[in-house]
Amino acid sequence: MRRLLLAAGGILLVGGGAIAVILSTGGDASLPEPPAPVVAVPAAPIPIPVGPLPGLEGDRPYGGPASTPAVQYEPAPLPPPEDSWEAVPRTARPAKLGRIGPALQNELNEIQPRLALCFAEEVQARHGQLPVSRALDGASRGDGPTAVLLLDLEVQPGRIRIVDAPVESQGQASDGLVACAQRILRGHVLRTPVATEPARFRLIFPLHP
């Protein structure tokens, strides 16, 4: 019975303290408002440039074989016109020209002393300003000292005419030397009965003193 009385007294004491607190605050028994919730503001997005991704190792797929650049070849040169001297096969020696070979060789031997004069420096100087004809399918310069001409031979019944003697390879010869030799050879006519059928030949002719 005593314990019950003590418990009841404790309850009354606590209740009285609560009432005293309420009265001291002006009778406002409302609880303090909880703080406003903090709302996280998302950060502004960082602009990222969008574009094609760079290729890997020469724009080849990952893990694929390396691409090989296409090889470009120059187009094959067109064949020369049939009526041009470039279409005439070259011949290395007069002996390969058939019946006219020996007669032509003798004639070139007769011309050789005149061609030897072209090697003189004063003769080259006099011919240095003359134009030099060159073979379209030949080289203008070479490593060797000897100039090589191509004798364009036109055969008619009873005669052989040297139409021109363009440079096939000039070597280290001067323009004056070549111009002098061409002046002697160009238009030279050999009259011989062994020339019977019309034909054209191209003879390789090295220049020697």
Side-chain angles (χ1 to χ4, degrees), residues 21 31 75-76 85 91 121 136 158 171 175 203:
V21 172
L31 296 176
W85 284 105
T91 304
E121 293 184 2
L136 299 180
D175 288 347
L203 179 65

Side-chain angles (χ1 to χ4, degrees), residues 89-97 201-205:
R90 302 181 183 187
T91 304
R93 298 188 302 274
K96 294 184 175 295
L97 298 180
F201 300 99
R202 217 173 192 198
L203 179 65
I204 300 175
F205 185 72

Side-chain angles (χ1 to χ4, degrees), residues 78-88 200:
L78 296 176
E82 293 183 359
D83 59 345
S84 67
W85 284 105
E86 286 73 27
V88 178
R200 293 196 306 170

Side-chain angles (χ1 to χ4, degrees), residues 11-170:
I11 294 172
L12 291 174
L13 180 61
V14 173
I19 294 172
V21 172
I22 293 172
L23 292 176
S24 63
T25 59
D28 188 3
S30 61
L31 296 176
E33 295 182 0
V38 178
V39 179
V41 179
I46 300 174
I48 300 176
V50 179
L53 296 176
L56 299 176
E57 298 183 7
D59 294 335
R60 66 182 177 92
Y62 178 76
S67 59
T68 303
V71 179
Q72 296 182 353
Y73 297 95
E74 294 184 0
L78 296 176
E82 293 183 359
D83 59 345
S84 67
W85 284 105
E86 286 73 27
V88 178
R90 302 181 183 187
T91 304
R93 298 188 302 274
K96 294 184 175 295
L97 298 180
R99 293 181 58 191
I100 69 172
L104 179 62
Q105 182 64 68
N106 292 335
E107 187 69 13
L108 293 176
N109 292 340
E110 294 291 334
I111 300 175
Q112 183 57 37
R114 296 171 55 194
L115 294 174
L117 297 177
C118 296
F119 285 83
E121 293 184 2
E122 62 273 13
V123 177
Q124 296 183 43
R126 291 200 305 267
H127 292 80
Q129 301 302 320
L130 296 180
V132 174
S133 62
R134 304 182 186 278
L136 299 180
D137 54 349
S140 60
R141 288 286 178 182
D143 296 332
T146 304
V148 179
L149 308 181
L150 294 175
L151 303 186
D152 297 337
L153 305 174
E154 183 181 67
V155 180
Q156 294 292 337
R159 69 172 193 168
I160 303 172
R161 178 172 176 261
I162 302 177
V163 179
D164 198 3
V167 180
E168 198 279 334
S169 176
Q170 187 163 336

